[in-house]
Each structure stands twice: as C-alpha cells, then as structure tokens.
Amino acid sequence: MEVPGLAHNITSPLSPCEGMIKDLSLDAIQLCERDGSQSQDGSISEMEALPVPQNIKISNITCDSFKICWDMEPRSKERITHYFIDLNKKENKNSNKFKHKDVPTKLVAKAVPLPMTVRGHWFLSPRTEYTVAVQTAARQTDGDYSVSEWSEIIEFCTADYSIVHLNQLLEKAEVIAGRMLPFSVFYRNQNKEYFDHARESQGNQMLPSVKDNSGSHGSPISGKLEGLFFSCNTEFNTGKPPQDSPYGRHRFEVRADALFNPDTNLYFGDFYCMYTAYHYVILVLAPKGSRGDEFCKQRLPALDIGNNRFLTCKQDEEGDGGLLFYHAQDVILEVIYTEPVDLASGTVAEISGHQLMSLSTVNAKKDPSCKTCNISVGR
C-alpha cells in the first residue's frame, strides 16, 4: 500500500509522521475545525451532497491502533476519493493536546476498502478515551474537496500494553539491570497505624490492594492487579536493606523463601523512571494456581525464577541445599506479592533512618522522554 505522506508539500523524510500509520494510506494530514466543513487554508468546498457515514464501528483496538468501518448510502459513493477522520482525546474535544504541537487531530485517508486500520503511537496513547467522527470527501480536478456532513461521534478507549509490548520493555530493562547481589529478606515499610490496623481489624493479615497508576501508562496491572508491594534491594556495602524509606518508619521483614520459592511464579510487570537517573522494575510474585497467577498468565511475560536478570531463586548445590536469592543491583525492584501475608510470618520494627517522601513512587508518572525505558508505542 502507498506510503503515507503529508499535505501542503510537508514531505520531509525526517517528519515524525512518515510511515507511522502503516495500514492507513494517507495523502494528507491537516488540522481542521470540527464544527465546520472548511479547512484553515480554505481548500474544502461544498458541492453536491456526499453520503454521510452511518453506524460507525470500532474494533481490534490495541494500545496504539484500531480498525474502523461504517455503512454508506449508495448515492454518489463512486465519487468518494478520501475519508476525513476526526480523532480527539475525550477529555477535551475542542483542543489538541498531543505530545507534539504539530500533530493534527484530523486524518485524511484515501478511500481504501473498509475496515481500515488506523495506527500511530505519535497520536494514540494506551488506556486513553477518544472520540472519532468521519466525513466522506471527493477531490476535484482543481485540488478542492467536496465533503459530506460529519457522522455521529463515537467514543472508544485504547487498550493496555500487550505481552509483545511488555517484552520490549523487558528487553530494555535487562540491558541496565547490572550484576546480581544476594539478599535474604523481603521488606515492606508503612506507618505504625497500618500495622496496628492489620493486627486489630484484619486478623493479623496484610491484605492485597489494587495497584495504583504509577509507571507506564499502558501497564496492564495498574488499577487492576491486587497485591502487596515489597522491596528486596540491599545496600552494596552492608548487604542489608537500607535504613531509609519513603513509605513509613515501620518495616515488616519476612524471609525471602516465605514469598519466593519453587511454588511461586514470577512475572515482569513494568519498567519506568520518574525524571531521575533511577530506574524501577516492577515484578509480580504469584503462588502457582492463585487468582493473581491466573491474572498474570494472560497479561505478563513469565520469568524463569532461576535464570533472569532481576530476581532469582536457586538451590544451594554446594551448601545445605537451601534456597539462594539474588536481586539486580542497578535497578530498584518493586515486587508485588498477590496474596495476603500474615504478620506472624515475619517481624515489624522501626527503622533508624529517615522517611524520604521525595522517593515515593505512589501514582508516579513515567518520564515519556526517557530513551532508556520507553518503547515506540504510547507511553
């Protein structure tokens, strides 16, 4: 199919638009007011009525593409040379809020057979609500267009990252993970009231809660997966957990084998940063056959617990036959355990360091400009 280009002689090979919509043949991309039938340069004119698209259907939605089709009356159908597709983020239908100020909301496509695929990470983001409307157009010999009225406005929401996209993030994270360091405990910091509530109102249990929206916007676990966040990173010079934490001055520590063992599955969840040099990798630990395990099997890349670049559990073949645990040195691991944890399985004590609130990742937004942890789909 013809390679897309830009209207009005904007055809530089360096343009971010070149080749972005592989299945949608474009010969023009331009801004156009949604409430009018004329473009800003006055190139669209009204002639005899063209059929208005009816019963618009959106299907095959991914994080950065969708298929669109519609019905049309047969009158003047043979005159149609182009489709105008008006695409806007739902939260503000009257303004263009895309990452690049020169990215338009109207796509001008040649009249290819329907359904057609609209694909482009530079104007579609994952987990985002959009509105779409369509016009039919006929290009005349003088270069002007006759156009139909706009169709009804349809709403849809793009999807999460697929496993294909997550594997791309995984590969990027592996590059910077660094060497593996030994550890022996998982730990979870909270305030004193959190642990008091667990003892008094939750049967001494820490209960899973829904993951917040931190990390990649397209992460399939944000707002969906239930679990408990744990850390396992250690200080290089001591081999022990750091004494500072952004989440509270009281810390629950539990032996690593209580949460991570051969009866546990390990999944890669996300890779992100927050406009700093630190990079975070989210991993999920799910007991085999648990509800969390079933959730992750459908959505996340599985990791070999004995052979990966982030978190491993191996049999000690030279010692007592117990388990040995290692974590990546150069990324901060956020480990989600999908099941309740009894406080009796570990200890709670106050840390001697500080509560560094500035390092909290609660609802932290990913830096969309970082080349280390972003992939070529919506951020």
Side-chain angles (χ1 to χ4, degrees):
M1 188 169 285
E2 181 179 335
V3 177
L6 296 179
H8 310 303
N9 299 318
I10 307 174
T11 56
S12 166
L14 299 180
S15 166
C17 299
E18 278 299 326
M20 290 300 187
I21 309 179
K22 297 178 181 177
D23 299 286
L24 178 57
S25 181
L26 307 182
D27 77 347
I29 298 180
Q30 61 192 37
L31 286 172
C32 182
E33 294 297 329
R34 191 44 199 92
D35 56 356
S37 61
Q38 200 166 30
S39 71
Q40 291 178 341
D41 65 0
S43 64
I44 299 176
S45 63
E46 293 189 15
M47 290 182 61
E48 62 178 286
L50 290 170
V52 179
Q54 305 287 339
N55 301 319
I56 296 175
K57 296 180 179 63
I58 304 294
S59 62
N60 295 76
I61 300 171
T62 72
C63 66
D64 63 349
S65 69
F66 62 92
K67 283 189 175 182
I68 185 169
C69 65
W70 55 84
D71 300 328
M72 284 185 295
E73 297 176 5
R75 61 185 173 88
S76 302
K77 189 174 180 180
E78 69 281 353
R79 290 183 51 233
I80 297 172
T81 61
H82 293 80
Y83 303 134
F84 292 0
I85 302 174
D86 189 67
L87 183 69
N88 286 281
K89 289 188 178 181
K90 184 180 176 182
E91 58 264 30
N92 191 338
K93 301 176 185 177
N94 298 316
S95 66
N96 184 6
K97 287 190 173 183
F98 295 111
K99 295 188 292 292
H100 307 291
K101 64 181 181 180
D102 59 334
V103 174
T105 58
K106 173 177 274 188
L107 307 177
V108 183
K110 285 188 174 180
V112 297
L114 300 178
M116 63 181 175
T117 299
V118 178
R119 176 180 288 111
H121 73 266
W122 49 281
F123 60 81
L124 284 173
S125 296
R127 281 195 173 198
T128 303
E129 292 184 324
Y130 290 93
T131 62
V132 64
V134 184
Q135 278 180 318
T136 57
R139 190 170 187 174
Q140 303 170 68
T141 55
D142 60 3
D144 285 346
Y145 290 90
S146 59
V147 297
S148 72
E149 294 181 1
W150 284 104
S151 71
E152 61 178 329
I153 296 174
I154 299 297
E155 298 179 357
F156 71 99
C157 184
T158 48
D160 300 332
Y161 284 164
S162 68
I163 287 184
V164 172
H165 300 119
L166 290 172
N167 274 318
Q168 294 174 19
L169 278 180
L170 168 61
E171 291 172 2
K172 280 182 162 282
E174 288 175 335
V175 172
I176 69 162
R179 65 174 181 147
M180 303 294 282
L181 298 178
F183 76 100
S184 60
V185 298
F186 288 104
Y187 54 94
R188 173 176 171 82
N189 277 70
Q190 290 287 337
N191 54 45
K192 181 177 181 296
E193 290 73 22
Y194 170 86
F195 293 110
D196 288 343
H197 180 72
R199 293 187 189 97
E200 298 166 6
S201 303
Q202 297 175 178
N204 214 44
Q205 301 267 317
M206 293 186 293
L207 301 180
S209 59
V210 176
K211 183 194 172 296
D212 64 10
N213 289 315
S214 60
S216 300
H217 187 56
S219 171
I221 61 177
S222 293
K224 295 180 180 179
L225 179 66
E226 294 186 355
L228 294 165
F229 267 108
F230 283 89
S231 300
C232 65
N233 288 82
T234 56
E235 292 182 323
F236 175 75
N237 57 338
T238 67
K240 297 180 179 180
Q243 282 299 305
D244 299 322
S245 172
Y247 304 111
R249 292 187 51 81
H250 286 73
R251 173 175 292 168
F252 171 77
E253 286 190 5
V254 61
R255 285 169 48 108
D257 60 359
L259 306 184
F260 190 24
N261 54 63
D263 293 324
T264 310
N265 281 329
L266 176 66
Y267 298 92
F268 173 83
D270 201 3
F271 177 44
Y272 72 100
C273 71
M274 304 182 299
Y275 302 90
T276 67
Y278 303 110
H279 276 86
Y280 298 81
V281 170
I282 297 179
L283 303 174
V284 181
L285 286 174
K288 292 180 179 179
S290 65
R291 188 172 69 171
D293 188 35
E294 294 303 315
F295 177 94
C296 293
K297 279 181 181 178
Q298 308 300 319
R299 298 168 176 85
L300 305 181
L303 300 177
D304 182 342
I305 67 170
N307 183 25
N308 68 80
R309 298 296 307 276
F310 311 110
L311 188 71
T312 61
C313 167
K314 299 179 180 181
Q315 200 82 29
D316 182 3
E317 297 179 355
E318 298 180 358
D320 60 3
L323 297 175
L324 299 177
F325 301 91
Y326 295 87
H327 72 82
Q329 177 184 7
D330 294 341
V331 291
I332 299 174
L333 297 181
E334 297 183 308
V335 181
I336 301 176
Y337 187 72
T338 62
E339 302 304 304
V341 174
D342 196 319
L343 291 176
S345 63
T347 60
V348 177
E350 188 172 359
I351 60 174
S352 60
H354 302 285
Q355 184 171 348
L356 305 176
M357 298 297 294
S358 62
L359 297 180
S360 172
T361 62
V362 174
N363 287 313
K365 301 303 179 185
K366 181 174 182 175
D367 177 1
S369 65
C370 178
K371 294 181 180 179
T372 300
C373 62
N374 281 295
I375 56 178
S376 294
V377 293
R379 308 303 186 224

